[in-house]
Amino acid sequence: MKKTFLKNKKGFTLVEVMLAVGVIAVSIASMIGLLGAITANITQIRHQQRAADCVAQMETTLRTKRFSEVYRWVSNPAEPYVVYFWTEYQNPDDPDNSSLMLVTSEDEGRVPNMPPTKEALENSEGGVYRALLSLYQSGLKGERVAVGGEGQYGGGALGGDETTYALSYLPINMELFAEPREDITLGQGDTRVNDERRVFQGIIMKMR
């Protein structure tokens, strides 16, 4: 019996296999990196949208508060005032009307300066946001902020109360931080945590 050999029949060499595996590995790594970037962008967009909601809600809250109360909140920039935001189901027992509403720790029936309770979290969806409100000192530089005073504001605490404050507005620096539901920061937080979780910083106003 005669045997015939196909002289031109070739297999893959080890080097070719290794090169192919390397190309596939690089492609997969690139796709994973791309997916990570897309996820990060989606998260950032979601934070930006919620930040806009929180700022609008804070401005509404400021309009309902007395000037004297807000003055006490921010008159000492070294001690920012803390407000928490989260979304709650308005009718959790009614599946046909389970709309979500943004609420704050300043709302009636809440505890000021405190994050949502365990029960409130169970009736909520999404993340918790923590805001630090402090006097925007640069917005008052050079102004005469004390009634009857001749000196110009140079920074620091305002002192006195709203009756001795000469201006009709309070410029407020608002910083907003995205807080994981399982690790919500109490109070001002520290620099490291705040830098990691900051999603917004801007100026809002309280008018008399």
Side-chain angles (χ1 to χ4, degrees):
M1 185 181 213
K2 252 180 173 182
K3 294 185 181 177
T4 53
F5 297 91
L6 300 176
K7 295 181 179 179
N8 294 328
K9 187 176 181 181
K10 293 182 179 180
F12 293 107
T13 65
L14 180 60
V15 173
E16 289 173 330
V17 172
M18 291 178 67
L19 284 173
V21 171
V23 170
I24 292 172
V26 170
S27 299
I28 292 174
S30 299
M31 286 189 292
I32 292 174
L34 182 60
L35 287 173
I38 292 173
T39 301
N41 286 337
I42 291 173
T43 300
Q44 183 179 16
I45 291 171
R46 186 173 68 249
H47 285 324
Q48 289 174 346
Q49 292 174 337
R50 183 45 53 86
D53 294 337
C54 291
V55 171
Q57 183 73 10
M58 192 69 248
E59 289 176 335
T60 299
T61 299
L62 288 179
R63 286 195 293 270
T64 65
K65 297 291 183 180
R66 294 189 302 274
F67 191 88
S68 58
E69 185 174 3
V70 179
Y71 185 90
R72 289 195 300 272
W73 287 1
V74 302
S75 60
N76 184 0
E79 299 177 0
Y81 192 80
V82 185
V83 180
Y84 292 89
F85 300 81
W86 66 95
T87 53
E88 279 192 4
Y89 288 104
Q90 296 307 293
N91 298 283
D93 298 326
D94 184 359
D96 296 326
N97 187 19
S98 56
S99 59
L100 285 164
M101 177 178 287
L102 183 64
V103 299
T104 82
S105 54
E106 287 299 313
D107 292 344
E108 186 177 352
R110 314 288 179 179
V111 181
N113 297 126
M114 294 301 292
T117 62
K118 181 181 178 181
E119 291 74 17
L121 281 177
E122 291 173 350
N123 185 38
S124 70
E125 186 176 290
V128 175
Y129 291 80
R130 173 176 55 99
L132 296 184
L133 306 179
S134 59
L135 183 69
Y136 180 55
Q137 299 176 74
S138 296
L140 294 178
K141 290 290 179 65
E143 297 285 349
R144 291 185 174 86
V145 297
V147 174
E150 296 181 357
Q152 296 178 334
Y153 177 77
L158 291 174
D161 56 32
E162 81 286 354
T163 61
T164 62
Y165 183 68
L167 303 177
S168 61
Y169 65 92
L170 274 171
I172 300 171
N173 180 50
M174 178 176 175
E175 294 181 88
L176 193 67
F177 309 92
E179 299 289 331
R181 293 167 68 97
E182 68 281 359
D183 183 27
I184 300 174
T185 304
L186 290 176
Q188 297 182 34
D190 57 41
T191 301
R192 180 188 62 81
V193 170
N194 289 347
D195 287 344
E196 290 175 354
R197 300 180 179 182
R198 184 181 289 104
V199 295
F200 170 83
Q201 183 168 5
I203 310 303
I204 56 178
M205 292 286 184
K206 170 60 180 176
M207 307 302 295
R208 282 191 188 271

